Amino acid sequence: CGGRRSRGDQGADVEAGGAKAHKQLKDMEVKPGSAGGAESPEVRGCCAFGIPLALSALLIIILDVGEAMFALDQLSAVGWQRAYVGGLLLKWGIVGLLVYLGEGIVRWSCCVTLILPVELWVRAHRMARDILVSTLILVGLAPLVCLNVINSCLCPGLSLHHLLIYRNANYAKKRELDAREFIATSA
């Protein structure tokens, strides 16, 4: 067989060039770390600079909005509202592109000490996005939850949810009819 073993064999395979391949596939434990394989600078929710990531995310939101308002204030003062909205959209797109490029830099960089501020900036932007999306979902669903609680308190037997979805308030209380009852009710 030329020195090769079958796939089912757990022994070392010998390639055509004589080099040994791995005996078998093994899972390796991967420890969390940042770029370059170094240990993670985060300890208990704080970054390497000692600032909690959630606080950094809120600070990033404030700084980004403040910078956009300051930079585009002249457009608003002149009365160019459409240009102002266009400028906000352009800034939002550019920040999204920079965050994407920052992720690539953090992923492929070899100098960990210079990358820590970029990594903090990228993570803070991602967490800020997550906070904003979660807030939007919470604000959208909170009135419906309150309405459901009020409905449960005022009308315990009537479910507004079932009424809207199934067009029947007593959807869960339906019973099955056997053939005799069906024939008796239809006649």
Side-chain angles (χ1 to χ4, degrees), residues 12-168:
D13 291 334
V14 178
E15 304 268 338
K20 290 185 178 180
H22 295 288
K23 286 184 178 180
Q24 60 186 2
L25 296 176
K26 293 182 181 179
D27 289 336
M28 296 177 53
E29 183 179 338
V30 179
K31 296 179 181 175
S34 61
E39 285 191 17
S40 176
E42 294 186 358
V43 177
R44 295 185 186 168
C46 293
C47 67
F49 304 112
I51 303 169
L53 193 56
L55 183 63
S56 297
L58 293 175
L59 187 65
I60 284 289
I61 291 172
I62 292 169
L63 289 176
D64 280 350
V65 169
E67 186 269 334
M69 296 296 182
F70 180 74
L72 298 173
D73 187 43
Q74 296 297 321
L75 294 174
S76 179
V78 175
W80 292 358
Q81 300 304 324
R82 290 184 182 177
Y84 184 78
V85 172
L88 286 176
L89 291 174
L90 179 66
K91 284 197 165 287
W92 178 54
I94 290 173
V95 166
L97 176 68
L98 290 175
V99 169
Y100 182 74
L101 291 175
E103 286 177 343
I105 289 171
V106 168
R107 188 177 305 127
W108 295 104
S109 179
C110 60
C111 186
V112 176
T113 57
L114 297 176
I115 294 306
L116 288 177
V118 175
E119 186 176 8
L120 172 64
W121 186 78
V122 167
R123 287 185 177 191
H125 270 89
R126 291 298 183 207
M127 185 173 228
R129 181 197 61 187
D130 292 344
I131 289 171
L132 289 175
V133 168
S134 299
T135 303
L136 180 67
I137 292 170
L138 179 68
V139 167
L141 291 179
L144 299 174
V145 170
C146 291
L147 182 64
N148 195 24
V149 168
I150 292 170
N151 179 42
S152 297
C153 291
L154 296 178
C155 305
L158 177 69
S159 175
L160 185 62
H161 179 260
H162 286 159
L163 186 64
L164 291 173
I165 300 296
Y166 303 113
R167 310 284 194 270
N168 183 2

Side-chain angles (χ1 to χ4, degrees), residues 177-187:
L177 294 175
D178 62 354
R180 286 182 225 133
E181 289 180 28
F182 181 72
I183 293 172
T185 57
S186 63

